[in-house]
Amino acid sequence: MAQVLMVDDSSTVRKEVCDFLKANGISVVAAVDGRDGLDKLRADPAIKLVVSDVNMPNMDGLTMAEKIRNELKNAAVNVIMLTTENSPAMKERGKAAGVKGWIVKPFNGAAVLPTFKKLVSA
């Protein structure tokens, strides 16, 4: 049972974020794209936070966030984007899909750890 779902098509980013979270006492499961992320979220109701890239093959992160809210009817899980994208239009789409935060890569674990811990304990 994981607290965080890390979704990114880059194995380097997935490993970096997962290793950081595990080292800080947060259980995490990884997914390679939005489709995989939805499957993992369906399978593990203990997930409280989804951290996702935007640009991925098969299903992008924003589409996944929309499906979490509309198809899975899951309003409880927190979704944060971790991406190189910084356009206002994408951020607006994310906000409309219930995305709670937008972090521009590179990942700075120390800066977001208090927020992540708060979101997984809520």
Side-chain angles (χ1 to χ4, degrees), residues 13-66:
V13 173
R14 277 195 320 271
K15 181 173 176 10
E16 175 188 3
V17 175
C18 289
D19 288 351
F20 175 82
L21 294 174
K22 288 175 188 172
N24 284 279
I26 297 173
S27 58
V28 60
V29 64
V32 298
D33 59 36
R35 275 193 204 150
D36 188 28
L38 282 176
D39 290 343
K40 298 247 169 83
L41 188 58
R42 280 187 191 101
D44 190 346
I47 293 170
K48 303 270 191 211
L49 173 63
V50 175
V51 179
S52 177
D53 189 13
V54 171
N55 297 313
M56 298 179 287
N58 301 313
M59 183 186 297
D60 66 79
L62 290 174
T63 300
M64 180 186 66
E66 292 163 349

Side-chain angles (χ1 to χ4, degrees), residues 69-118:
R69 302 297 187 226
N70 300 325
E71 289 180 19
L72 299 185
K73 304 292 186 209
N74 187 337
V77 71
N78 294 293
V79 179
I80 293 178
M81 292 293 146
L82 174 64
T83 180
T84 57
E85 294 292 343
N86 201 16
S87 80
M90 282 205 175
K91 287 182 178 181
E92 268 311 304
R93 183 176 165 205
K95 189 175 179 182
V99 172
K100 301 276 190 214
W102 200 276
I103 302 167
V104 177
K105 290 178 182 176
F107 178 68
N108 179 350
V112 298
L113 185 60
T115 301
F116 281 19
K117 283 190 171 189
K118 181 179 173 185

